[in-house]
Amino acid sequence: MPKGTATAVAHLRGRRTVRPVKGRPGLLVIGALLTSGNLLQVTLARPYEVDVAVEVSPDGSPGSWTRIGTVAAGRTAQEFAVPEFAGAVVRIVDPRTGGRTESPPVFVVHPARCARRQGDENRPRLRRGYTAEEIFTDEELARRFRYDLLRLSDLLAEHRTVQPARVVPPAQVSVVHDRYASYLEDCERTIGRPLTLKLFGGTAAPDLTLGPRWGLTVDDVIDDDPDAPDGDPEETGQGEMPPDIKREWRQWSVRAVERTVPREGAPAAMMLRLLVARLFVQLLGHGVWRLDDDSWRVPLARLTEGLVPRAEDELPDEAVQHVTAVTAVCAGLLLSGASLTGGTSHDLLAARTWQAVKERVAEAETDIVGGLLIPPRLPHAHVLGRSEWERLLDLARSDDPVALIAAELAEEGLTLESDGGIYRVTGKFSNPVPVAARVTALLRRHLETVLVHAVAEGRWTFVAWRRPHLAVAGSRAMWPGWRVYRVPSSGTPESRLTGGEGPSRAGLVAGPVPLGRTPPAALELLEQAGVDPAGLPRRLLDHGP
């Protein structure tokens, strides 16, 4: 304080140190409440001498205000019917001044949001607001984050058991937009704003992705760029991780999947499952697992199935879109290097997971998933490219059950086409017998009766199969004429037709029979498949010598 002069209290008593200010008339809104009946209840600070106009806006920006009615002179409260209310802030305007006199904006209070905030002081949350970039660039901070996320998963599980989440009745939820804003606010309070933006930011998020703030100031502008490439090493300045850091991430990812998608009991909150899934995809893109290490497949498959929303997740439709996109990316990574028609452990794992999520993958939207299509710029990177993504969607959206088989055969240079009940396979192969046998076994998973015609280099083989009968015909250079086999339950077309120097005699019940004289068992198979036996020889010979 500056130097002053000591003055007796009696001398100061009664003196004014502040110059008197004459109050200016102003407009003020005490609050705005959206009731359960979708009525906007606006309360003014005091009654005014004139009617005041009430305006709403999604975010308070210039040009976004919409007038919804007036509060009559002398009144302090008024309700407005807003069946499609999309406003987040409210203000009142003096119509006599042409809109130049207006009140400070206030935020609308939603019952659903208030209900969710009850008990927030005891809500488990991450200890700080981590960003996706620093998680992969700051080793010490990454260790804290890994521990913190596992801790949060355990605390949320205990919190759910001790204090179950209150389900808001449908009547209290004003509109879908409000449900999404409330859900994102819950996510922000639990895992922080930067990670919430990574999970749900981007072009599909509404203007109020994270709900209203307590003031319309420049500080509330979101600095994070939701459209920036996610996990792109060049964009984030990242290089290859040291081996010990990769090992820590591998060990943590397995524990994180076990905590968020346990084998027994309810899974963790969807926000945690989704966060772990996105991190898993980025870890694969960072080459945390070597190319010859497939240990990531089992936890990723478990996590992918765990992303299927449950009723208790109470996900808004907009959030479901983001979950679906991540689910599709995880499924696409599982399909890489695996065959849905193969018999290895990786093939069977991918096929089982695909059946569980195929319908969800078909609903994925490309404009949401961009950040997870990571360029393979780091050694040992497992990534899903744009072309693989498009093929994945085509495969999921196809109504033809044979499309999957055709797609995988195409990768081997084989073309599979349907021709009036007969599946014709062509390509560069010298012996059509094993090709026909293999394709027959694959198609049998989807068809009761299978007819396959394999043609290459002037040779052909025709197979008709429905257990227990297997009918085979071939060109003169292969297996001339018809042969019919009876195959036991343990046998397959491949086991009967491959591995020998010529036509097998094990299980043979008819043949060889000339092509023009179709055996009864073969006739029955053709009729079951809806193919005219009389025209079959010509159809076969038209594609052979």
Side-chain angles (χ1 to χ4, degrees):
M1 297 292 290
K3 292 182 178 180
T5 302
T7 303
V9 175
H11 179 70
L12 295 175
R13 186 174 292 120
R15 292 178 175 264
R16 296 181 60 90
T17 59
V18 178
R19 189 176 298 173
V21 178
K22 183 179 180 180
R24 292 178 299 173
L27 303 179
L28 184 63
V29 178
I30 289 182
L33 172 68
L34 188 65
T35 68
S36 59
N38 284 342
L39 293 176
L40 179 62
Q41 187 180 83
V42 179
T43 304
L44 310 184
R46 63 182 176 85
Y48 296 100
E49 298 177 354
V50 297
D51 296 350
V52 290
V54 178
E55 297 181 348
V56 297
S57 166
D59 52 13
S61 59
S64 66
W65 293 94
T66 302
R67 185 162 298 185
I68 61 173
T70 60
V71 178
R75 294 179 58 89
T76 58
Q78 182 70 42
E79 290 186 343
F80 302 91
V82 282
E84 296 182 3
F85 182 73
V89 288
V90 173
R91 72 182 182 186
I92 57 176
V93 178
D94 186 346
R96 298 174 302 177
T97 62
R100 291 190 299 274
T101 302
E102 60 193 36
S103 70
V106 299
F107 288 102
V108 179
V109 176
H110 299 263
R113 189 170 298 139
C114 292
R116 289 178 182 272
R117 283 177 177 161
Q118 292 178 358
D120 265 2
E121 63 278 2
N122 298 320
R123 182 188 184 94
R125 65 193 70 197
L126 291 177
R127 288 173 172 164
R128 58 158 291 170
Y130 304 92
T131 68
E133 290 74 19
E134 64 189 7
I135 288 174
F136 289 101
T137 56
D138 189 320
E139 295 179 7
E140 179 58 32
L141 195 61
R143 292 189 179 95
R144 295 182 184 179
F145 166 78
R146 291 194 293 264
Y147 170 79
D148 202 5
L149 188 62
L150 295 180
R151 177 195 63 85
L152 176 62
S153 179
D154 292 341
L155 290 177
L156 284 176
E158 296 174 3
H159 187 75
R160 185 172 59 244
T161 302
V162 176
Q163 185 179 357
R166 180 178 178 269
V167 178
V168 180
Q172 288 184 288
V173 180
S174 59
V175 287
V176 173
H177 186 281
D178 178 54
R179 289 190 64 232
Y180 191 30
S182 298
Y183 181 77
L184 292 178
E185 286 181 352
D186 282 348
C187 293
E188 181 183 354
R189 289 192 293 272
T190 304
I191 62 176
R193 194 177 196 201
L195 293 180
T196 300
L197 279 172
K198 282 299 180 183
L199 295 185
F200 301 105
T203 57
D207 292 337
L208 290 176
T209 47
L210 297 178
R213 296 287 172 186
W214 295 113
L216 301 177
T217 65
V218 179
D219 295 336
D220 291 327
V221 177
I222 299 172
D223 295 329
D224 304 77
D225 180 9
D227 296 323
D230 196 297
D232 189 333
E234 290 190 1
E235 296 292 338
T236 58
Q238 297 166 231
E240 185 178 5
M241 292 183 183
D244 57 332
I245 301 301
K246 289 184 178 181
R247 183 177 63 254
E248 291 179 7
W249 275 114
R250 288 195 302 268
Q251 295 171 346
W252 175 86
S253 62
V254 174
R255 292 198 300 272
V257 173
E258 291 175 349
R259 300 284 182 89
T260 55
V261 190
R263 299 186 184 278
E264 297 181 1
M270 177 59 80
M271 70 181 83
L272 293 188
R273 284 136 64 192
L274 186 62
L275 177 57
V276 172
R278 281 188 66 98
L279 290 173
F280 208 120
V281 171
Q282 291 176 287
L283 290 173
L284 286 170
H286 280 77
V288 170
W289 288 267
R290 297 181 61 87
L291 293 179
D292 58 353
D293 181 5
D294 288 321
S295 60
W296 55 271
R297 292 185 178 273
V298 172
L300 182 60
R302 183 171 161 189
L303 186 57
T304 305
E305 293 191 46
L307 289 178
V308 176
R310 300 155 61 98
E312 51 267 34
D313 290 323
E314 297 183 272
L315 288 183
D317 291 341
E318 295 91 340
V320 172
Q321 294 174 5
H322 292 272
V323 174
T324 299
V326 177
T327 303
V329 173
C330 293
L333 289 169
L334 281 173
L335 290 183
S336 63
S339 169
L340 293 180
T341 60
T344 68
S345 59
H346 299 331
D347 298 337
L348 297 176
L349 179 66
R352 186 196 68 198
T353 307
W354 178 253
Q355 290 301 319
V357 302
K358 176 184 176 182
E359 293 183 0
R360 307 211 62 82
V361 174
E363 300 174 358
E365 299 180 16
T366 302
D367 58 349
I368 296 179
V369 78
L372 291 177
L373 302 182
I374 306 172
R377 293 173 179 165
L378 289 174
H380 314 295
H382 296 271
V383 297
L384 189 68
R386 178 70 61 171
S387 59
E388 290 84 1
W389 168 259
E390 293 175 354
R391 286 200 298 269
L392 181 77
L393 295 187
D394 290 341
L395 186 62
R397 294 168 181 173
S398 174
D399 293 330
D400 183 5
V402 182
L404 175 61
I405 298 173
E408 293 206 351
L409 292 177
E411 296 179 358
E412 304 175 18
L414 303 178
T415 301
L416 181 64
E417 301 173 312
S418 177
D419 178 17
I422 299 176
Y423 286 89
R424 184 168 292 108
V425 54
T426 56
K428 294 183 178 181
F429 49 86
S430 57
N431 186 354
V433 176
V435 175
R438 177 190 169 205
V439 174
T440 298
L442 294 177
L443 291 175
R444 183 61 182 84
R445 299 178 182 180
H446 305 282
L447 305 173
E448 288 293 328
T449 304
V450 182
L451 306 181
V452 174
H453 186 205
V455 183
E457 300 182 0
R459 300 181 177 188
W460 60 268
T461 297
F462 177 78
V463 175
W465 163 241
R466 180 169 182 166
R467 195 178 299 278
H469 291 112
L470 174 67
V472 185
S475 58
R476 289 188 296 272
M478 299 304 300
W479 288 21
W482 286 100
R483 286 171 173 79
V484 178
Y485 296 88
R486 186 174 184 86
V487 182
S489 58
S490 60
T492 65
E494 290 180 291
S495 65
R496 184 63 65 222
L497 301 180
T498 59
E501 297 297 330
S504 172
R505 300 195 62 84
L508 184 66
V509 295
V513 177
L515 188 62
R517 293 168 50 194
T518 308
L523 286 173
E524 182 179 354
L525 291 174
L526 294 173
E527 292 173 354
Q528 290 172 342
V531 173
D532 181 15
L536 179 65
R538 183 176 57 82
R539 293 174 65 179
L540 298 179
L541 293 175
D542 284 345
H543 294 82

